[in-house]
Amino acid sequence: MPATKGYGRDPDLTAPKVPWPLTLTKAQRATVDMLGDMILPADAASPGAGTLGVGAFIDEWISAPYPQQQEDRAKILAGLAWMDAQSRVLNGGDFAAGTATQRATLLDALTVETPSAAMAQPVAFMDRLRNLFVLGFYSLPEGKADMGYIGDQPTEGPYPGPTPEAQAHFMALLASLKLPPLPSSSRA
């Protein structure tokens, strides 16, 4: 079947591949991986996000042709350029070339709750990048294990359903919203 106008056909999930060219340069990808290990560092439960390759997820995300990803692409690329420029001014070299203390100081400057007008875009970049790291990390098996996620495993034994107290609470909530009660056949 020929592709229709728009973004194309759904991907073949049995043969995963990146259907578009990636965006990040080798140096940008190294910086993103470094940031991943700073934002979600290794601990006793799992390696850091950069070590796990979450940077590849971010590179694919910002390379996608969809509007949200294209907006993220502009934000991430501008933010990486800003970090290198700031690092050159403050430390005499790109972000990746700085010492661990220099990199941490610059990263800390991007984690303020209420940034000044001049820092609004760099902070928004870091907020989005941090969000993408969390999204990528916790979708990996290591991230799921790190948080103890067992949602994609069957629960053994009988499931008794909600307690009578929970059902009563739910029915009261429906009544307060002026919604009809559930038929008794759909209640446990």
Side-chain angles (χ1 to χ4, degrees), residues 3-170:
T4 59
K5 194 173 189 174
Y7 299 122
R9 299 182 53 77
D10 286 340
D12 177 0
L13 298 179
T14 62
K17 65 180 179 188
V18 179
W20 40 73
L22 296 176
T23 299
L24 297 177
T25 66
K26 200 176 244 187
Q28 289 169 325
R29 175 66 190 279
T31 298
V32 167
D33 286 337
M34 184 180 295
L35 285 165
D37 284 336
M38 293 173 73
I39 292 168
L40 290 170
D43 60 17
S46 63
T51 302
L52 283 175
V54 177
F57 162 78
I58 292 172
D59 195 5
E60 184 175 344
W61 178 273
I62 67 170
S63 300
Y66 313 115
Q68 177 63 57
Q69 284 78 0
Q70 290 299 292
E71 183 180 315
D72 288 343
R73 176 185 180 156
K75 189 177 290 183
I76 299 301
L77 292 178
L80 291 172
W82 181 90
M83 290 190 78
D84 278 341
Q86 280 300 109
S87 187
R88 282 190 294 274
V89 168
L90 297 172
N91 308 316
D94 288 344
F95 178 81
T99 66
T101 301
Q102 290 169 335
R103 292 190 305 264
T105 299
L106 188 52
L107 186 61
D108 287 346
L110 299 176
T111 58
V112 296
E113 191 169 322
T114 309
S116 66
M119 291 295 289
Q121 287 185 331
V123 169
F125 145 73
M126 187 51 60
D127 287 347
R128 186 61 182 143
L129 185 64
R130 192 171 40 248
N131 180 275
L132 290 172
F133 273 120
V134 169
L135 178 65
F137 180 81
Y138 288 108
S139 65
L140 292 172
E142 294 86 350
K144 290 177 184 179
D146 188 80
M147 69 174 155
Y149 178 75
I150 58 167
D152 54 357
Q153 299 177 18
T155 303
E156 293 187 26
Y159 178 69
T163 64
E165 295 83 10
Q167 287 181 356
H169 173 76
F170 182 64

